[in-house]
Amino acid sequence: MSTIETIKEKFQQLQSSNGHSPLTSLEQSAFHTFDTLGLPTVKNEEWKYTRISGVFNKEYAFNPESNRSAFAAGELAEIRLPGHEAANELVFVNGVYNASLSTVRSASLNLLSLEEAAKNEYREIVQQHLGHSSKYIKDGIHALNTAFLQEGVFVFVKKGKVVEHPVYIYNVADARTTNVLSQPRSLIYIGENAQLQIAETYVTLGVCESFTNQVTEVVIEKDAIVEYYKIQNDAAHSSQVNTTHIRQVGKSLVNTVTISLNGGIVRNNLNIAMEAEYAESHFYGLYFLKGTSHVDNHTVVDNVKPNCLSNELYKGIVDDKGTAVFNGKIFVQKDAQKTNAFQSNKNILLSENATVNTKPQLEIYADDVKCSHGCTVGQLDEESLFYMRSRGISEKAAKSLLVHAFALDVLEHIKLEPIREYVDHIITERLQVKTTNEVSVSEE
């Protein structure tokens, strides 16, 4: 039986066993979309440079019942992010939230299942916002996640609350005994004048393959401030399609940084819908690829209301046979006058076999706006290399220093100091910086 046939069979089984719930109609509608659209191919313009169908040519354990893991608290210590002692830690194992492994330190942070939230006082929030990302992403993989969202999590930050401890989210794929397909699903609601910091990471255990199909929807109310950091440094046999959908429904500030350092096939969908006047968003990305890693960043900024500001900077360093894709879209709707929107994508190729495909796009339907976009793909600056060589720095050391300086433009926007130092340490190790002033580019 193919993976697609298995998915269809599991969906029918789960629908029969779970009975009717407030989420049933959304799941069934999504499954119909998945069944109609199927998996995207390179003939789909949005997937032109990423062949995802091969990921599904494998057998996976993927529904919650067969995805139970022996992952234990003792093993969590090995994958924790720095600064975890002062953080809320939410642990998802094979796509399912594990309360016993998680630690919630902030009283202002409420967690419950999506199904439970859809029944109680949060019902209107769930009805209004859950599944909104499907408006922007119309493909079978996104719909597949929604069809199996019964194990999803609802995170609520009450109006006026500042969550004093950052929220660390660990996505663990336990692939020690079998291939694993995980589908984490979250809806995060940040109330008026609230503040929240999130840092998310991914780890695959074992030598079997993993595929994570994640959807996170974030709703930000008036005067709220959100920082969202995503760190992707998983194994080469780990692939993921990762969708983060942010709605600024009130005048608010959001800062996101996506760091992609390793993995198999990685597709990141980042949508920001600016639905309130004077909303402001800043989003940054860095991909530093080696081996045969393939990272595809798709971003959408939808300016719906006037007087909004967005600033986007993605930078790429691609080595070996790595492949990077950047597709950034800015929409300015007809009512979004006085929009300021800026987008830049800059890339450095470190080997002849490295590849970058970049496509910035603007669609503007208003006439009083300031918008710009641009992209570059090239090698390290020869004049800078010559300058350093002329001062006694070896060629390898000079290249490493230039690469590190290139990355710092993005790293400096990670305001959580332990996370910034963690990422910088990984990059430094890769560049094999030596304390003897001799620096060499990794030849892995």
Side-chain angles (χ1 to χ4, degrees):
M1 184 181 294
S2 70
T3 299
I4 301 300
E5 290 172 335
T6 302
I7 287 171
K8 292 179 179 179
E9 182 179 286
K10 294 296 183 185
F11 178 78
Q12 296 303 332
Q13 290 175 357
L14 283 174
Q15 289 291 301
S16 299
S17 60
N18 290 344
H20 187 79
S21 85
L23 306 178
T24 299
S25 61
L26 184 59
E27 292 173 332
Q28 292 178 344
S29 175
F31 186 78
H32 176 71
T33 301
F34 167 72
D35 197 28
T36 303
L37 297 179
L39 299 175
T41 69
V42 292
K43 293 181 180 179
N44 182 330
E45 184 65 24
E46 300 298 318
W47 289 84
K48 184 176 180 180
Y49 300 107
T50 300
R51 297 177 181 274
I52 196 67
S53 58
V55 173
F56 286 83
N57 293 332
K58 303 176 178 68
E59 292 188 3
Y60 293 99
F62 80 95
N63 71 42
E65 290 181 355
S66 58
N67 263 1
R68 300 303 178 193
S69 165
F71 183 74
E75 298 171 290
L76 181 62
E78 299 176 6
I79 66 170
R80 276 178 158 145
L81 292 169
H84 63 85
E85 303 88 349
N88 298 287
E89 295 184 286
L90 312 184
V91 182
F92 291 76
V93 181
N94 293 346
V96 180
Y97 177 67
N98 189 316
S100 63
L101 295 175
S102 302
T103 302
V104 178
R105 291 186 165 88
S106 301
S108 53
L109 194 69
N110 296 332
L111 273 86
L112 61 165
S113 73
L114 273 176
E115 187 168 348
E116 185 180 353
K119 297 176 182 175
N120 61 22
E121 70 267 30
Y122 304 115
R123 182 177 62 253
E124 289 187 10
I125 294 174
V126 174
Q127 289 177 344
Q128 186 177 355
H129 299 291
L130 183 64
H132 187 268
S133 51
S134 63
K135 177 181 176 183
Y136 292 83
I137 301 175
K138 301 180 186 301
D139 66 44
I141 293 180
H142 181 272
L144 179 62
N145 178 289
T146 304
F148 289 87
L149 59 71
Q150 72 278 2
E151 293 283 340
V153 170
F154 178 66
V155 179
F156 180 80
V157 181
K158 195 174 179 180
K159 176 181 178 181
K161 297 294 183 181
V162 176
V163 180
E164 65 275 28
H165 303 290
V167 175
Y168 285 5
I169 301 175
Y170 303 95
N171 293 285
V172 181
D174 187 351
R176 289 177 288 194
T177 59
T178 186
N179 297 334
V180 171
L181 194 164
S182 306
Q183 299 205 97
R185 181 68 179 240
S186 303
L187 175 62
I188 302 173
Y189 179 89
I190 297 103
E192 277 188 32
N193 205 31
Q195 295 184 29
L196 181 66
Q197 294 176 305
I198 302 171
E200 186 168 28
T201 192
Y202 306 81
V203 178
T204 294
L205 307 175
V207 297
C208 298
E209 298 199 28
S210 72
F211 173 54
T212 301
N213 179 25
Q214 181 182 27
V215 176
T216 303
E217 296 175 308
V218 184
V219 183
I220 307 175
E221 291 284 0
K222 181 182 176 183
D223 293 329
I225 300 174
V226 177
E227 298 171 29
Y228 201 133
Y229 308 111
K230 195 181 296 290
I231 315 298
Q232 298 168 321
N233 190 31
D234 208 346
H237 55 280
S238 306
S239 297
Q240 64 173 280
V241 175
N242 190 306
T243 297
T244 305
H245 182 77
I246 298 173
R247 296 185 73 181
Q248 292 182 269
V249 297
K251 179 181 75 68
S252 54
L253 173 62
V254 60
N255 181 65
T256 76
V257 183
T258 303
I259 305 291
S260 304
L261 300 174
N262 203 24
I265 295 175
V266 177
R267 164 69 173 240
N268 293 317
N269 301 311
L270 174 60
N271 306 331
I272 297 183
M274 308 184 77
E275 302 179 25
E277 196 169 3
Y278 296 105
E280 181 175 338
S281 67
H282 302 268
F283 45 120
Y284 306 92
L286 173 69
Y287 38 93
F288 185 3
L289 310 181
K290 63 178 182 176
T292 58
S293 289
H294 175 101
V295 173
D296 179 349
N297 282 295
H298 267 58
T299 66
V300 172
V301 181
D302 189 9
N303 291 274
V304 180
K305 295 293 184 180
N307 294 302
C308 291
L309 167 66
S310 67
N311 182 42
E312 178 178 12
L313 173 63
Y314 271 66
K315 303 187 82 170
I317 306 158
V318 188
D319 201 356
D320 299 332
K321 296 180 180 178
T323 307
V325 181
F326 175 81
N327 188 326
K329 295 180 180 178
I330 296 175
F331 296 99
V332 182
Q333 307 296 346
K334 64 179 182 180
D335 293 332
Q337 302 292 350
K338 305 292 183 184
T339 288
N340 288 300
F342 309 102
Q343 180 191 88
S344 176
N345 175 229
K346 299 178 180 179
N347 299 277
I348 291 177
L349 300 178
L350 295 181
S351 83
E352 293 182 354
N353 295 318
T355 303
V356 171
N357 295 291
T358 178
K359 187 179 179 182
Q361 294 175 271
L362 288 172
E363 286 191 23
I364 301 174
Y365 301 98
D367 55 13
D368 185 11
V369 301
K370 291 181 181 178
C371 297
S372 68
H373 66 172
C375 63
T376 59
V377 180
Q379 284 75 42
L380 290 172
D381 183 66
E382 291 295 335
E383 287 189 12
S384 298
L385 276 176
F386 177 80
Y387 177 82
M388 285 193 276
R389 292 293 307 281
S390 68
R391 278 150 180 79
I393 301 174
S394 72
E395 182 178 358
K396 288 183 177 179
K399 286 181 177 178
S400 183
L401 289 170
L402 287 176
V403 168
H404 206 163
F406 183 78
L408 286 176
D409 284 347
V410 172
L411 299 187
E412 67 182 8
H413 294 286
I414 302 177
K415 298 177 183 178
L416 263 176
E417 188 173 346
I419 299 300
R420 184 177 64 250
E421 291 178 350
Y422 169 72
V423 175
D424 191 52
H425 178 70
I426 294 173
I427 292 174
T428 301
E429 275 198 331
R430 184 173 293 187
L431 293 170
Q432 295 182 343
V433 178
K434 300 177 182 176
T435 56
T436 56
N437 269 348
E438 181 61 32
V439 188
S440 65
V441 175
S442 172
E443 296 177 352
E444 292 180 57

